[in-house]
Amino acid sequence: MALRKDYYEVLGVSRDAADEEIKKAYRRLAMKFHPDRNPDDPQAETRFKEASEAYEVLRDPTKRAQYDQFGHEGLNGTGFQGFRSTDDIFSTFSDVFGEFFGFGSASRGPRPQAGADLRYNLTISFRDAAKGKELELRIPRNEKCAECSGTGAARGTRPETCRQCGGRGQVHQTQGFFRITVTCPVCQGQGEIIATPCASCHGRGIVRTTRELKVRIPAGVDNGSRLRLRGEGEPGIYGGPAGDLYVVVHVEEDDVFRRQGQHLVVTKEISFVDAALGARIEVPTLDDPVPMDIPKGTQSGHVFQVNGLGLPHLGSTHRGDLLVEVQVKIPTRLTKQQEELLREFARLEEDRPLKKVKRFFGKAKEAVKG
């Protein structure tokens, strides 16, 4: 058995060569020893195969790591045993030669293709986003034609193998001294021809329809959130997987609450008397109102925090808080008695014993309520 050459020596690069350096080295050797440039030259063909084998291993991180650690024996577990012919090389490196020599790569017959992803814009209310809700959506999309089972051929018929390419989806052409592979112009790379198209889908294998889906909107979802529904996008072709459906949530503004992350923010007006003397008020929540104590001397704009009454975190039982911002309401129309009390308060402010101030606020509170 002939001794196999070191791959780094074959390409003429160091063992720590970067991917781009390895690629350039192979390009140089591939162009020099390409069979179309060296017809009937066994030595050039051998050098071409050696360079291609070296590049196939060193361009792959897993194979390269195995080779670096265990040499040629380390490649046994990777399934790579070299190339049997130049056709194997052209098939494996069709994209590489297309990049090297300016030719497009071609597909080899009908390959499985994943379906396209779809996007659906969903507008929901602030309360539905906060508490979660199950909704039914109507999604327009393509589906596999039931009449022909997605083949595109009329019932009782089957797609025929393309005679031009023999079902491979590609044909060989010669340009100068290069032989290149291009997409079959007859079947457009599909490898099959539909002689009698299905009347329902006109040979496309898919039909336009509307699918009804039930979607659970999780509690606490935010504006701009995307919900991914796997396999609910466009169908794949030739056995490929279906795409996904992305539901993009748009949340309407609420008349009462504002959102601050997972916290709810609400503004509550209180009278200046309640702000000065303190009071118990009710504040709204996503459910029933709850009582909250306003301490004496509360200033306008002060924010109180009620733990656990905010929005739930997605995928968690933990909730944000309710933030209550109080705004002290100043009366715009006062009675004479109220004006007199306020003037008395202003006088007391200059020299106010504690009992007089308490007595004044008692009278002021009664006057405001009256």
Side-chain angles (χ1 to χ4, degrees), residues 204-220:
R204 298 176 62 237
I206 55 176
V207 292
R208 194 67 174 173
T209 185
T210 300
R211 180 172 174 81
E212 294 184 353
L213 292 173
K214 287 187 177 180
V215 178
R216 179 67 190 176
I217 306 300

PDB file of all heavy atoms in Angstrom, residues 204-220:
ATOM      1  N   ARG A 204     -48.351  23.084 -10.148  1.00  0.00           N
ATOM      2  CA  ARG A 204     -47.500  23.661  -9.109  1.00  0.00           C
ATOM      3  C   ARG A 204     -47.368  22.757  -7.890  1.00  0.00           C
ATOM      4  O   ARG A 204     -46.425  22.874  -7.118  1.00  0.00           O
ATOM      5  CB  ARG A 204     -48.049  25.023  -8.679  1.00  0.00           C
ATOM      6  CG  ARG A 204     -48.087  26.047  -9.794  1.00  0.00           C
ATOM      7  CD  ARG A 204     -48.721  27.356  -9.333  1.00  0.00           C
ATOM      8  NE  ARG A 204     -47.955  27.972  -8.251  1.00  0.00           N
ATOM      9  CZ  ARG A 204     -48.449  28.268  -7.073  1.00  0.00           C
ATOM     10  NH1 ARG A 204     -49.718  27.982  -6.789  1.00  0.00           N
ATOM     11  NH2 ARG A 204     -47.697  28.844  -6.157  1.00  0.00           N
ATOM     12  N   GLY A 205     -48.348  21.886  -7.675  1.00  0.00           N
ATOM     13  CA  GLY A 205     -48.306  20.997  -6.522  1.00  0.00           C
ATOM     14  C   GLY A 205     -48.794  21.639  -5.246  1.00  0.00           C
ATOM     15  O   GLY A 205     -48.883  20.980  -4.213  1.00  0.00           O
ATOM     16  N   ILE A 206     -49.121  22.923  -5.284  1.00  0.00           N
ATOM     17  CA  ILE A 206     -49.627  23.633  -4.111  1.00  0.00           C
ATOM     18  C   ILE A 206     -50.823  24.483  -4.509  1.00  0.00           C
ATOM     19  O   ILE A 206     -50.970  24.868  -5.670  1.00  0.00           O
ATOM     20  CB  ILE A 206     -48.546  24.533  -3.473  1.00  0.00           C
ATOM     21  CG1 ILE A 206     -47.969  25.502  -4.512  1.00  0.00           C
ATOM     22  CG2 ILE A 206     -47.443  23.708  -2.842  1.00  0.00           C
ATOM     23  CD1 ILE A 206     -46.983  26.480  -3.944  1.00  0.00           C
ATOM     24  N   VAL A 207     -51.687  24.760  -3.542  1.00  0.00           N
ATOM     25  CA  VAL A 207     -52.862  25.602  -3.769  1.00  0.00           C
ATOM     26  C   VAL A 207     -52.934  26.643  -2.663  1.00  0.00           C
ATOM     27  O   VAL A 207     -52.406  26.449  -1.558  1.00  0.00           O
ATOM     28  CB  VAL A 207     -54.162  24.764  -3.795  1.00  0.00           C
ATOM     29  CG1 VAL A 207     -54.193  23.859  -5.017  1.00  0.00           C
ATOM     30  CG2 VAL A 207     -54.301  23.935  -2.522  1.00  0.00           C
ATOM     31  N   ARG A 208     -53.573  27.760  -2.967  1.00  0.00           N
ATOM     32  CA  ARG A 208     -53.738  28.834  -1.985  1.00  0.00           C
ATOM     33  C   ARG A 208     -54.974  28.565  -1.153  1.00  0.00           C
ATOM     34  O   ARG A 208     -56.051  28.265  -1.678  1.00  0.00           O
ATOM     35  CB  ARG A 208     -53.880  30.180  -2.702  1.00  0.00           C
ATOM     36  CG  ARG A 208     -53.714  31.390  -1.802  1.00  0.00           C
ATOM     37  CD  ARG A 208     -52.300  31.487  -1.284  1.00  0.00           C
ATOM     38  NE  ARG A 208     -52.070  32.713  -0.520  1.00  0.00           N
ATOM     39  CZ  ARG A 208     -50.962  32.951   0.149  1.00  0.00           C
ATOM     40  NH1 ARG A 208     -49.980  32.067   0.162  1.00  0.00           N
ATOM     41  NH2 ARG A 208     -50.801  34.084   0.810  1.00  0.00           N
ATOM     42  N   THR A 209     -54.826  28.654   0.169  1.00  0.00           N
ATOM     43  CA  THR A 209     -55.947  28.382   1.053  1.00  0.00           C
ATOM     44  C   THR A 209     -55.813  29.228   2.317  1.00  0.00           C
ATOM     45  O   THR A 209     -54.837  29.957   2.487  1.00  0.00           O
ATOM     46  CB  THR A 209     -55.997  26.884   1.422  1.00  0.00           C
ATOM     47  OG1 THR A 209     -57.168  26.613   2.203  1.00  0.00           O
ATOM     48  CG2 THR A 209     -54.769  26.493   2.230  1.00  0.00           C
ATOM     49  N   THR A 210     -56.802  29.142   3.188  1.00  0.00           N
ATOM     50  CA  THR A 210     -56.774  29.835   4.480  1.00  0.00           C
ATOM     51  C   THR A 210     -56.875  28.808   5.593  1.00  0.00           C
ATOM     52  O   THR A 210     -57.806  28.006   5.623  1.00  0.00           O
ATOM     53  CB  THR A 210     -57.934  30.841   4.596  1.00  0.00           C
ATOM     54  OG1 THR A 210     -57.824  31.818   3.552  1.00  0.00           O
ATOM     55  CG2 THR A 210     -57.896  31.545   5.940  1.00  0.00           C
ATOM     56  N   ARG A 211     -55.911  28.838   6.473  1.00  0.00           N
ATOM     57  CA  ARG A 211     -55.872  27.868   7.563  1.00  0.00           C
ATOM     58  C   ARG A 211     -56.272  28.545   8.864  1.00  0.00           C
ATOM     59  O   ARG A 211     -55.806  29.645   9.177  1.00  0.00           O
ATOM     60  CB  ARG A 211     -54.467  27.283   7.694  1.00  0.00           C
ATOM     61  CG  ARG A 211     -54.313  26.257   8.816  1.00  0.00           C
ATOM     62  CD  ARG A 211     -52.951  25.603   8.748  1.00  0.00           C
ATOM     63  NE  ARG A 211     -52.674  24.710   9.853  1.00  0.00           N
ATOM     64  CZ  ARG A 211     -53.103  23.464   9.950  1.00  0.00           C
ATOM     65  NH1 ARG A 211     -53.862  22.979   8.979  1.00  0.00           N
ATOM     66  NH2 ARG A 211     -52.804  22.709  10.986  1.00  0.00           N
ATOM     67  N   GLU A 212     -57.131  27.877   9.627  1.00  0.00           N
ATOM     68  CA  GLU A 212     -57.571  28.401  10.922  1.00  0.00           C
ATOM     69  C   GLU A 212     -56.723  27.760  12.029  1.00  0.00           C
ATOM     70  O   GLU A 212     -56.590  26.541  12.104  1.00  0.00           O
ATOM     71  CB  GLU A 212     -59.052  28.103  11.147  1.00  0.00           C
ATOM     72  CG  GLU A 212     -59.972  28.858  10.171  1.00  0.00           C
ATOM     73  CD  GLU A 212     -61.436  28.635  10.474  1.00  0.00           C
ATOM     74  OE1 GLU A 212     -61.732  27.796  11.360  1.00  0.00           O
ATOM     75  OE2 GLU A 212     -62.278  29.290   9.833  1.00  0.00           O
ATOM     76  N   LEU A 213     -56.155  28.613  12.856  1.00  0.00           N
ATOM     77  CA  LEU A 213     -55.279  28.140  13.926  1.00  0.00           C
ATOM     78  C   LEU A 213     -55.682  28.765  15.253  1.00  0.00           C
ATOM     79  O   LEU A 213     -56.048  29.941  15.313  1.00  0.00           O
ATOM     80  CB  LEU A 213     -53.818  28.522  13.637  1.00  0.00           C
ATOM     81  CG  LEU A 213     -53.111  27.850  12.457  1.00  0.00           C
ATOM     82  CD1 LEU A 213     -51.750  28.505  12.270  1.00  0.00           C
ATOM     83  CD2 LEU A 213     -52.960  26.368  12.684  1.00  0.00           C
ATOM     84  N   LYS A 214     -55.618  27.985  16.309  1.00  0.00           N
ATOM     85  CA  LYS A 214     -55.816  28.520  17.650  1.00  0.00           C
ATOM     86  C   LYS A 214     -54.450  28.811  18.257  1.00  0.00           C
ATOM     87  O   LYS A 214     -53.570  27.946  18.276  1.00  0.00           O
ATOM     88  CB  LYS A 214     -56.591  27.528  18.519  1.00  0.00           C
ATOM     89  CG  LYS A 214     -58.071  27.440  18.160  1.00  0.00           C
ATOM     90  CD  LYS A 214     -58.821  26.581  19.161  1.00  0.00           C
ATOM     91  CE  LYS A 214     -60.313  26.564  18.822  1.00  0.00           C
ATOM     92  NZ  LYS A 214     -61.076  25.727  19.788  1.00  0.00           N
ATOM     93  N   VAL A 215     -54.290  30.038  18.722  1.00  0.00           N
ATOM     94  CA  VAL A 215     -53.008  30.476  19.264  1.00  0.00           C
ATOM     95  C   VAL A 215     -53.221  30.982  20.690  1.00  0.00           C
ATOM     96  O   VAL A 215     -54.112  31.804  20.937  1.00  0.00           O
ATOM     97  CB  VAL A 215     -52.378  31.590  18.400  1.00  0.00           C
ATOM     98  CG1 VAL A 215     -51.071  32.058  19.013  1.00  0.00           C
ATOM     99  CG2 VAL A 215     -52.157  31.094  16.981  1.00  0.00           C
ATOM    100  N   ARG A 216     -52.410  30.493  21.599  1.00  0.00           N
ATOM    101  CA  ARG A 216     -52.475  30.949  22.985  1.00  0.00           C
ATOM    102  C   ARG A 216     -51.475  32.084  23.172  1.00  0.00           C
ATOM    103  O   ARG A 216     -50.267  31.908  23.050  1.00  0.00           O
ATOM    104  CB  ARG A 216     -52.143  29.797  23.942  1.00  0.00           C
ATOM    105  CG  ARG A 216     -52.162  30.206  25.418  1.00  0.00           C
ATOM    106  CD  ARG A 216     -53.552  30.565  25.871  1.00  0.00           C
ATOM    107  NE  ARG A 216     -53.555  31.171  27.196  1.00  0.00           N
ATOM    108  CZ  ARG A 216     -54.637  31.643  27.796  1.00  0.00           C
ATOM    109  NH1 ARG A 216     -55.805  31.583  27.190  1.00  0.00           N
ATOM    110  NH2 ARG A 216     -54.572  32.189  28.983  1.00  0.00           N
ATOM    111  N   ILE A 217     -52.002  33.288  23.438  1.00  0.00           N
ATOM    112  CA  ILE A 217     -51.150  34.444  23.714  1.00  0.00           C
ATOM    113  C   ILE A 217     -50.769  34.404  25.184  1.00  0.00           C
ATOM    114  O   ILE A 217     -51.635  34.494  26.060  1.00  0.00           O
ATOM    115  CB  ILE A 217     -51.864  35.765  23.382  1.00  0.00           C
ATOM    116  CG1 ILE A 217     -52.378  35.756  21.938  1.00  0.00           C
ATOM    117  CG2 ILE A 217     -50.942  36.943  23.620  1.00  0.00           C
ATOM    118  CD1 ILE A 217     -51.309  35.586  20.895  1.00  0.00           C
ATOM    119  N   PRO A 218     -49.491  34.230  25.505  1.00  0.00           N
ATOM    120  CA  PRO A 218     -49.106  34.113  26.917  1.00  0.00           C
ATOM    121  C   PRO A 218     -49.285  35.424  27.674  1.00  0.00           C
ATOM    122  O   PRO A 218     -49.105  36.505  27.110  1.00  0.00           O
ATOM    123  CB  PRO A 218     -47.624  33.717  26.836  1.00  0.00           C
ATOM    124  CG  PRO A 218     -47.154  34.241  25.514  1.00  0.00           C
ATOM    125  CD  PRO A 218     -48.339  34.149  24.593  1.00  0.00           C
ATOM    126  N   ALA A 219     -49.652  35.312  28.931  1.00  0.00           N
ATOM    127  CA  ALA A 219     -49.824  36.489  29.778  1.00  0.00           C
ATOM    128  C   ALA A 219     -48.495  37.218  29.925  1.00  0.00           C
ATOM    129  O   ALA A 219     -47.453  36.604  30.138  1.00  0.00           O
ATOM    130  CB  ALA A 219     -50.355  36.083  31.148  1.00  0.00           C
ATOM    131  N   GLY A 220     -48.535  38.544  29.777  1.00  0.00           N
ATOM    132  CA  GLY A 220     -47.339  39.361  29.941  1.00  0.00           C
ATOM    133  C   GLY A 220     -46.596  39.623  28.651  1.00  0.00           C
ATOM    134  O   GLY A 220     -45.530  40.227  28.661  1.00  0.00           O
TER     135      GLY A 220
END
